[in-house]
Amino acid sequence: LSREDVILAIDSLKPTISLSTPLTPDGALTLSDTISGSDMEHVDRRIFVSQLLNALTSDEREVIIRRYYKKQTQVQIAGAMGMTQVQVSRMEARLIKRLRQIAQAG
């Protein structure tokens, strides 16, 4: 497994906390009450991107993570994944198109 796959697997074991989790004994204050509007938009975007990435195969996800999160070039990705730069370029273009279609449908 790649380092990223192991990290994703470990992160998936963390318990999920609902935004409606009460922070006071009477339940008058919830976790969502402590998050500003802009922070909530950030949370929503992160959840959405996570869902998009989960729709990809592990190789596809690795290309996107390396390219857009780790800021690697197509040549670096190709070398690390045993592909050519042209293959990475085509895969990236195909993935961006597919992710846009999924995002528009969702």
Side-chain angles (χ1 to χ4, degrees):
L1 295 174
S2 71
R3 182 173 186 263
E4 290 80 19
D5 288 339
V6 172
I7 290 170
L8 286 172
I10 291 170
D11 282 347
S12 72
L13 297 174
K14 293 179 181 175
T16 303
I17 300 172
S18 171
L19 292 174
S20 60
T21 300
L23 298 177
T24 57
D26 63 358
L29 182 67
T30 66
L31 184 56
S32 65
D33 295 328
T34 65
I35 301 174
S36 72
S38 62
D39 287 340
M40 193 59 171
E41 290 173 21
H42 181 70
V43 169
D44 287 342
R45 278 194 302 272
R46 285 187 59 105
I47 290 170
F48 186 65
V49 168
S50 177
Q51 290 170 339
L52 287 176
L53 289 175
N54 285 333
L56 304 176
T57 68
S58 61
D59 283 346
E60 293 170 336
R61 191 170 34 253
E62 185 171 353
V63 167
I64 295 297
I65 289 170
R66 285 178 179 272
R67 186 80 169 116
Y68 294 96
Y69 289 87
K70 295 182 176 182
K71 308 284 190 220
Q72 292 182 348
T73 66
Q74 291 178 347
V75 172
Q76 290 171 317
I77 295 167
M81 295 182 67
M83 302 167 71
T84 67
Q85 180 273 326
V86 172
Q87 288 173 311
V88 172
S89 177
R90 289 180 181 156
M91 180 186 279
E92 181 183 356
R94 188 177 67 248
L95 289 171
I96 296 302
K97 182 178 178 180
R98 192 164 114 214
L99 289 172
R100 282 187 178 136
Q101 290 171 340
I102 293 169
Q104 290 173 350

